[in-house]
């Protein structure tokens, strides 16, 4: 796993073979971040990375200058790996929380400029996640929510839908908070 650009550009982290999480591929990550530069300035933004897995997205957000990143991951080993990566970068811009994303979404009162969620593609609650994120008033103003999912889901009818991108087997749906959200 590598950081694509920013302060920590080119840094590599070896993911243990025992991990169940699949990091977003470098190809897909680079392409979606290229798209996102037209929507958001990451410098000094606040960001939330849900279902963090290996922490690839959280690390990329820190590298791109986010003021604060909160990473939420339930798996103990994955959480520890994310913490170790953050220590190696010697950064305090990211807080790695270990916990259930759904409980976090119910209790979180903070707002973010950017939210990324990459749940397991087979998660039965996957179709409900955009509604939980966007209905929970977690996005600030015109904030952007990127949802990574498999090909079997279509969120184009959601009122906050912006666009869909596909890179190989990786699908991203972008949503924008509206002032009324």
């Amino acid at each position: 796993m590598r950081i694509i650009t920013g302060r920590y550009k080119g840094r590599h982290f070896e993911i243990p073979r025992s991990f169940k999480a699949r990091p977003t591929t470098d190809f897909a990550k680079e392409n979606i971040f290229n798209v996102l530069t037209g929507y958001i300035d990451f410098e000094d933004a606040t960001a939330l990375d849900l279902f963090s897995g290996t922490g690839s997205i959280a690390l990329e957000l820190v590298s791109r200058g986010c003021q604060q990143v909160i990473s939420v991951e339930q798996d103990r080993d994955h959480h520890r790996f994310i913490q170790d990566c953050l220590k190696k970068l010697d950064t305090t811009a990211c807080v790695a929380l270990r916990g259930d994303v759904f409980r976090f979404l119910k209790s979180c009162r903070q707002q973010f400029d950017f939210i990324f969620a990459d749940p397991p593609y087979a998660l039965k609650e996957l179709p409900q996640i955009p509604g939980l994120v966007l209905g929970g008033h977690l996005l600030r103003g015109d904030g952007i929510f990127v949802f990574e999912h498999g090909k079997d889901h279509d969120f184009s009818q959601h009122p906050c839908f912006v666009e869909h991108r596909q890179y190989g087997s990786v699908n991203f749906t972008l949503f924008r908070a509206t002032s009324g959200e």
Side-chain angles (χ1 to χ4, degrees):
M1 172 179 83
R2 76 177 170 99
I3 297 176
I4 304 295
T5 196
R7 180 178 180 186
Y8 303 109
K9 178 181 179 175
R11 292 288 298 265
H12 284 82
F13 299 92
E14 285 299 317
I15 299 167
R17 292 180 192 260
S18 62
F19 273 22
K20 297 169 276 195
R22 45 148 183 79
T24 302
T25 65
D26 286 350
F27 174 75
K29 183 169 59 169
E30 185 169 10
N31 279 288
I32 196 62
F33 272 96
N34 286 340
V35 169
L36 288 170
T37 58
Y39 289 103
I40 186 168
D41 179 7
F42 289 105
E43 191 72 31
D44 297 325
T46 58
L48 175 62
D49 180 17
L50 300 170
F51 304 96
S52 294
T54 62
S56 173
I57 299 298
L59 296 172
E60 190 71 37
L61 291 167
V62 167
S63 184
R64 289 172 185 258
C66 283
Q67 168 188 336
Q68 179 192 34
V69 178
I70 295 177
S71 162
V72 183
E73 173 54 47
Q74 185 168 353
D75 184 276
R76 180 188 71 233
D77 295 333
H78 296 185
H79 174 258
R80 186 177 307 122
F81 178 77
I82 295 167
Q83 287 183 311
D84 290 346
C85 291
L86 292 168
K87 284 179 190 169
K88 288 176 185 173
L89 295 180
D90 193 27
T91 181
T92 58
C94 183
V95 175
L97 302 177
R98 181 172 172 240
D100 178 78
V101 166
F102 296 101
R103 284 188 188 149
F104 177 85
L105 290 173
K106 287 179 184 175
S107 65
C108 182
R109 299 294 172 250
Q110 184 174 348
Q111 287 192 313
F112 302 90
D113 300 301
F114 178 74
I115 299 175
F116 187 93
D118 179 11
Y121 289 1
L123 185 71
K124 67 177 177 155
E125 299 91 351
L126 186 141
Q128 300 155 8
I129 294 170
L132 292 171
V133 169
L134 294 160
H137 306 286
L138 297 171
L139 277 178
R140 216 179 252 136
D142 284 333
I144 294 291
F145 168 44
V146 174
F147 190 46
E148 183 176 335
H149 56 86
K151 65 180 180 182
D152 298 331
H153 298 282
D154 177 8
F155 298 97
S156 61
Q157 298 306 309
H158 192 284
C160 297
F161 173 83
V162 174
E163 67 175 289
H164 173 263
R165 296 287 177 125
Q166 182 177 354
Y167 305 103
S169 63
V170 180
N171 289 265
F172 296 103
T173 299
L174 282 69
F175 302 89
R176 183 182 289 276
T178 60
S179 304
E181 280 296 306

